[in-house]
Amino acid sequence: FQAEDGIRDLVRSRGLGDVYKRQVLLSNFILKNMDKFLGKGISLGTVLKFLVYNSAWIISLAIPMSILIATLMAFGRLSSDNEITAFKASGVSMNRLLIPAMFFGFIVFSFVTPFNLWVLPEMNHNVRKISHEISRNRPDIEFNEQLLNSFSDKIIYVGKRINTHTFDNIVIFDKAQKDHTTIMAEIGNFKSFQDGIVINLENGSIHEELVNNEYKFIQRFLTAICYLNTPEEGGETSFPNLKKKIYLPNLYLGLVGQ
């Protein structure tokens, strides 16, 4: 067993460690984000782009981890086979033994540094761009069926998905500890509008919580437009044909039919 074999083990262990770490990190990322894409009508090209752009931070994490594992395995093999003792007995110092490993580390460093400085920020920027594009085109993706979803200072419950943008059994209420306002509707259609989300509600009602934890009925509506990022009261919202406008904390509700 010669020094070249130790370096060969270092390179082999580094390569296998890199592959395993990338596979584990990528699998974990896919499992965590799978529910955002499955059954949501997102194109395969968009999903692949999202995965490719996110692979940059996985590579950035996997390479240092794989180098650590490779170093431990290579020098552990040398130690277990008593090769380090043989090298010292032959007059080869530990510093000289580390030169090939340091040279290999410098090669990896010369690749990883430009990657982290220029490629990684650009890929992360592309991830944010594509995430923003998906959110604007498909705001319904941010909401999970039959669960409570947090948005700004509101909590929104959505029932089952009817079609691409529409859910049934919509409930919108505040996170505030007091003065709750609750909006309920049978159907809600989610769309993006400016820097917020518009929900076209059908067959619903508005309720307000009183001091004694009872709810007071305020308004019933057939059709309403709910804008979840409130413009200033009296400001333009570009929603025509509204019969009544209701301004609530961080929520604008325009009634189309009462």
Side-chain angles (χ1 to χ4, degrees):
F1 192 82
Q2 299 177 349
E4 290 80 4
D5 296 322
I7 301 305
R8 193 179 298 115
D9 267 6
L10 179 64
V11 175
R12 187 185 303 117
S13 301
R14 188 265 171 190
L16 291 174
D18 195 15
V19 171
Y20 293 150
K21 289 297 178 183
R22 285 191 209 175
Q23 185 175 1
V24 169
L25 291 172
L26 184 60
S27 300
N28 180 58
F29 176 77
I30 292 174
L31 290 174
K32 286 177 65 176
N33 293 273
M34 188 181 297
D35 59 329
K36 291 184 179 180
F37 305 110
L38 289 182
K40 303 292 180 66
I42 302 296
S43 66
L44 179 61
T46 301
V47 175
L48 290 178
K49 269 200 237 178
F50 190 77
L51 292 177
V52 169
Y53 291 151
N54 275 284
S55 65
W57 67 265
I58 294 176
I59 294 173
S60 181
L61 283 178
I63 290 178
M65 294 167 66
S66 62
I67 289 293
L68 175 62
I69 294 174
T71 303
L72 292 174
M73 290 182 65
F75 284 93
R77 171 78 180 276
L78 289 174
S79 177
S80 64
D81 291 344
N82 294 320
E83 293 294 336
I84 293 179
T85 304
F87 281 130
K88 288 181 177 180
S90 302
V92 179
S93 65
M94 194 66 186
N95 291 336
R96 185 177 174 188
L97 189 62
L98 290 175
I99 290 176
M102 296 294 291
F103 178 73
F104 177 72
F106 178 77
I107 294 175
V108 176
F109 170 79
S110 62
F111 164 75
V112 171
T113 301
F115 181 86
N116 288 340
L117 288 177
W118 292 292
V119 178
L120 181 60
E122 185 65 25
M123 297 285 270
N124 288 339
H125 177 64
N126 289 331
V127 168
R128 287 191 292 270
K129 281 174 59 179
I130 197 170
S131 298
H132 181 68
E133 181 182 344
I134 292 173
S135 297
R136 285 190 62 84
N137 295 334
R138 294 290 307 278
D140 56 286
I141 289 179
E142 304 295 329
F143 297 90
N144 298 311
E145 300 177 48
Q146 298 180 321
L147 290 174
L148 295 175
N149 302 273
S150 180
F151 184 88
S152 184
D153 64 339
K154 305 295 177 186
I155 295 178
I156 303 174
Y157 172 84
V158 297
K160 295 182 179 179
R161 183 182 291 271
I162 298 175
N163 55 43
T164 304
H165 298 276
T166 307
F167 299 90
D168 63 5
N169 298 326
I170 307 297
V171 182
I172 305 171
F173 54 94
D174 300 317
K175 293 181 182 177
Q177 297 296 322
K178 57 181 181 179
D179 300 328
H180 287 292
T181 300
T182 302
I183 301 172
M184 295 181 288
E186 294 182 6
I187 297 175
N189 181 272
F190 290 72
K191 295 180 180 179
S192 291
F193 181 80
Q194 295 176 358
D195 57 347
I197 292 179
V198 170
I199 309 177
N200 294 316
L201 302 173
E202 298 180 13
N203 299 328
S205 58
I206 307 170
H207 305 264
E208 184 178 24
E209 185 181 16
L210 301 178
V211 179
N212 55 0
N213 293 327
E214 295 181 359
Y215 277 89
K216 178 181 73 173
F217 172 76
I218 298 178
Q219 179 79 47
R220 184 175 295 279
F221 57 84
L222 296 177
T223 307
I225 297 174
C226 180
Y227 180 46
L228 294 175
N229 198 354
T230 310
E232 294 296 329
E233 185 165 352
E236 293 297 326
T237 58
S238 301
F239 298 135
N241 304 322
L242 299 180
K243 294 184 178 180
K244 185 177 181 180
K245 300 177 183 179
I246 300 176
Y247 290 89
L248 301 171
N250 292 322
L251 186 145
Y252 167 89
L253 190 68
L255 304 184
V256 180
Q258 301 181 41

